[in-house]
Amino acid sequence: MTRPLAPVTLAPVTLALLLAACGSGAADIRQTGPDPVLPAQDRALVPPIKVAEPAGWNGATPTVPAGLTITPYATGFKVPRQMLVLPNGDLLVAEGKGGADAPTLRPKDLIADYIKSFAGNGVKGGDRVSLLRDADGDGRPELRTVLIDGLDAPYGLALVGGDLYVAEQGSLKRYGYTTGTTRIAGKGQEITKLPSKVNHHWTKSLAASADGSKLYVGIGSNSNVGERGLEVEEDRAVVWEIDRATGAHRTLASGIRNPTALAIEPRTGALWSVANERDELGARLVPDYLTQVRDGAFYGWPYSYYGRHVDPRVHPQRPDLVSRATVPDYALGSHVAALGLSFATNGGLGGAFAEGAFVGEHGSWNRQDLAGYKVGWVPFAGGRPAGQPRDLVTGFIADGKARGRPVGVTFDPARHVLFVADDLSNTVWRVAPAGRRGAAPASPTGG
Amino acid sequence: MALSPVLGTAPHRTGLHPLHALLLGFPVALFATGLAADIAYLDTAEMQWSNFAAWANAGALVFGGVVLAWSVLAAVRGRTRWLYPLLLAAMWVVGLVNAFQHSHDAWASVGTTGLILSILSTALAVVAGWIAYSPARAGDVR
């Protein structure tokens, strides 16, 4: 079960492992929105590594703007990642942690694994999908069950009619679902295998097309920038379009380094993704992004970033591919680690948060000044981003320590509620407009 | 004087402690291995060569660090000239910088910088070894 997060004594953890040479300092530059400033590459001898030391919530909650409330919806998960709201209001939470098969290839892998071990909480992934039901709408679920057990690092979830789809780290599965079900036995039907060799970036994000005929799966790269050899990058850093009836797939878009969450923009029906860009080019490179996933587009990885900015770490280079690289639509900031995406519909959370996208940002490791560790809001108008992002849920960092790290976000349009999965405190947070029924603060159950 | 049965020359005594001599063999061999792997990587762009170089360099640092510490102690106690530990120290620092260089991703892991550092660390290891393995004079590392 979950280990209490309270005072974790990890002295060496604020790994200010280094160096004056890297990280922050300079007056900050604008790296959000449609036209981010991209500074020159800064390849420090030692890459800046800083992960925030974990700390407990101790009854505190994250911070939301006036007019909204946030409460812990449930806790005690085993690494909650992505979520899905079912038509009857039940919330599904995929719990898991994959990528264990990625082999150590060089001394750096040993050291990086050791350092990153301080950022987690030691909880083993649940390999299951949990179900939470708040039938009376008081903001606290009365029923909690394990809907599906025995999975292999489940991540993406989607429902089309009576078919529930679960994207494990190596397989896309279908389960029969009827409204109100609280337990599904059986192994599910495999729609298609998903690329799983190495699985450095193991998360398989999932969304169904607006008409329900297609499924989209985001498949991350097997390396930062090709350092495991390009032969393990076949069918990686792509978004697959899968025919729901036959399981046949084609590559919808490529060069998209790690498409960690997919969602359908409600006005246009277009597919959008948040993607995590490459590391070790400097604290201000490369911005993670939010983009419409265009059919046939190549987003640059590994040869270039943000269009035609060539990455010299790849050899041989491919100017032919770089010349047709697509510029992503909207920058979210460098190293913020965007892992969650959900669009507001039906008026959203109201006020300034009526039309746009919620973005869960897990938080950085490759810069001295922490970035991300929040849920952001990207306003949209007419199905396109409109204006600079705003912070929606903050307070995950306090006194330099991480109390939580946001992953998936999912909006429930019928109840005007945003759920935020937090895989450090293993909590699902519930954000709702203040004053609505059920929005009264529940007593936090700890973290 | 009797001839060495192996080399056919007069046996010479290096004055090295046998364990010190064994440990010193690692940086000499491993830095050279790293250099060869670097050249192979620059020639083929096959990542495994760069990985080999990184491991060889890391192994050279581990054993070279022990040898360095031993030589410093010996110099402090007046049992060797300072030139020997200084050469080992230079070798080790160059190797450490090269370890970070090789931690860069993909094509950035070697490059001109990595190749020069590998040549330097190999050369320093060979020179340090040459001095240490030369026939004993009064006051050599024991």
Side-chain angles (χ1 to χ4, degrees):
Chain A
M1 274 308 292
T2 44
R3 198 176 79 196
L5 277 174
V8 187
T9 33
L10 293 173
V13 169
T14 312
L15 289 152
L17 212 167
L18 312 165
L19 285 184
C22 29
S24 52
D28 219 346
I29 52 178
R30 188 182 43 71
Q31 294 206 291
T32 54
D35 190 23
V37 177
L38 302 180
Q41 295 168 9
D42 171 21
R43 282 189 275 143
L45 180 63
V46 183
I49 299 173
K50 178 165 178 157
V51 291
E53 181 180 346
W57 287 100
N58 296 321
T61 62
T63 308
V64 290
L68 300 175
T69 62
I70 184 163
T71 53
Y73 189 61
T75 188
F77 291 96
K78 295 180 174 179
V79 196
R81 302 281 186 169
Q82 298 295 336
M83 299 169 293
L84 178 70
V85 175
L86 298 174
N88 69 344
D90 288 354
L91 179 72
L92 301 188
V93 182
E95 299 161 76
K97 189 173 190 172
D101 293 339
T104 296
L105 292 185
R106 50 185 180 153
K108 179 190 190 179
D109 298 338
L110 285 181
I111 294 165
D113 286 351
Y114 175 73
I115 291 172
K116 287 177 183 174
S117 69
F118 291 113
N121 53 17
V123 174
K124 198 171 174 297
D127 285 335
R128 65 188 185 190
V129 173
S130 289
L131 178 146
L132 298 108
R133 179 174 296 166
D134 175 23
D136 60 9
D138 69 349
R140 276 163 289 189
E142 311 83 51
L143 179 72
R144 178 172 177 169
T145 67
V146 174
L147 182 72
I148 307 171
D149 214 347
L151 295 167
D152 178 22
Y155 188 82
L157 301 169
L159 181 73
V160 183
D163 293 329
L164 176 65
Y165 295 91
V166 178
E168 300 178 288
Q169 65 172 333
S171 174
L172 178 61
K173 298 268 175 65
R174 185 188 69 81
Y175 296 85
Y177 170 80
T178 50
T179 303
T181 300
T182 59
R183 170 76 195 168
I184 298 175
K187 298 199 75 71
Q189 177 196 356
E190 182 170 273
I191 301 299
T192 179
K193 289 199 183 306
L194 299 173
S196 61
K197 191 168 134 190
V198 182
N199 255 0
H200 173 83
H201 290 128
W202 62 269
T203 60
K204 299 300 191 294
S205 51
L206 177 63
S209 65
D211 67 1
S213 66
K214 307 288 186 193
L215 297 169
Y216 301 107
V217 174
I219 301 158
S221 68
N222 257 335
S223 63
N224 178 31
V225 65
E227 71 277 7
R228 287 179 181 271
L230 292 180
E231 54 280 11
V232 297
E233 302 297 349
E234 192 179 342
D235 279 329
R236 306 300 301 217
V238 295
V239 175
W240 273 8
E241 180 185 80
I242 298 167
D243 186 90
R244 202 166 70 83
T246 66
H249 72 264
R250 70 180 184 100
T251 299
L252 183 73
S254 62
I256 181 165
R257 180 173 172 276
N258 194 10
T260 48
L262 301 169
I264 301 296
E265 199 285 317
R267 288 193 179 230
T268 58
L271 178 68
W272 285 68
S273 178
V274 289
N276 292 351
E277 258 294 351
R278 64 204 72 196
D279 298 313
E280 296 185 34
L281 284 179
R284 300 294 181 276
L285 282 179
V286 173
D288 296 342
Y289 56 82
L290 167 70
T291 193
Q292 182 179 342
V293 182
R294 291 176 174 80
D295 193 350
F298 169 70
Y299 289 91
W301 191 89
Y303 304 102
S304 66
Y305 54 87
Y306 250 87
R308 301 180 187 179
H309 296 85
V310 171
D311 193 323
R313 297 172 297 178
V314 190
H315 187 89
Q317 297 185 353
R318 290 290 302 274
D320 54 323
L321 286 175
V322 171
S323 69
R324 64 175 189 87
T326 298
V327 180
D329 289 304
Y330 192 94
L332 298 168
S334 296
H335 308 297
V336 299
L339 295 184
L341 174 64
S342 186
F343 285 97
T345 50
N346 192 27
L349 290 172
F353 307 107
E355 185 184 352
F358 303 101
V359 176
E361 298 177 1
H362 201 229
S364 62
W365 65 266
N366 189 208
R367 54 191 281 179
Q368 288 296 316
D369 53 333
L370 299 175
Y373 296 95
K374 67 186 179 189
V375 177
W377 165 258
V378 178
F380 271 56
R384 304 288 306 166
Q388 283 293 313
R390 287 186 56 173
D391 290 350
L392 180 69
V393 187
T394 58
F396 289 92
I397 295 288
D399 301 326
K401 295 183 178 180
R403 303 191 287 191
R405 301 186 75 174
V407 192
V409 292
T410 191
F411 182 69
D412 178 354
R415 294 154 197 85
H416 300 278
V417 166
L418 177 74
F419 294 102
V420 179
D422 166 356
D423 72 353
L424 184 60
S425 70
N426 284 311
T427 303
V428 170
W429 300 95
R430 180 183 188 274
V431 180
R436 277 179 191 270
R437 179 169 173 260
S443 63
T445 53
Chain B
M1 187 179 278
L3 292 180
S4 157
V6 176
L7 298 177
T9 59
H12 73 231
R13 302 181 57 84
T14 64
L16 276 181
H17 189 289
L19 181 59
H20 188 100
L22 284 169
L23 291 170
L24 178 58
F26 282 85
V28 173
L30 289 177
F31 279 129
T33 301
L35 173 59
D38 275 352
I39 292 168
Y41 178 62
L42 292 173
D43 201 36
T44 63
E46 182 62 53
M47 279 315 303
Q48 192 65 301
W49 289 117
S50 176
N51 295 338
F52 285 157
W55 285 115
N57 190 78
L61 287 176
V62 169
F63 291 99
V66 178
V67 172
L68 171 60
W70 190 326
S71 71
V72 168
L73 285 176
V76 166
R77 296 164 66 187
R79 295 192 173 197
T80 186
R81 292 172 298 155
W82 276 100
L83 175 62
Y84 176 56
L86 285 175
L87 281 167
L88 288 176
M91 170 200 83
W92 201 85
V93 169
V94 170
L96 182 66
V97 173
N98 207 14
F100 289 127
Q101 172 68 24
H102 277 73
S103 79
H104 291 172
D105 284 337
W107 192 242
S109 61
V110 182
T112 310
T113 309
L115 182 65
I116 289 172
L117 290 171
S118 290
I119 292 171
L120 273 178
S121 58
T122 303
L124 287 163
V126 167
V127 173
W130 195 278
I131 289 174
Y133 289 130
S134 290
R137 287 174 296 261
D140 277 346
V141 181
R142 293 198 67 88

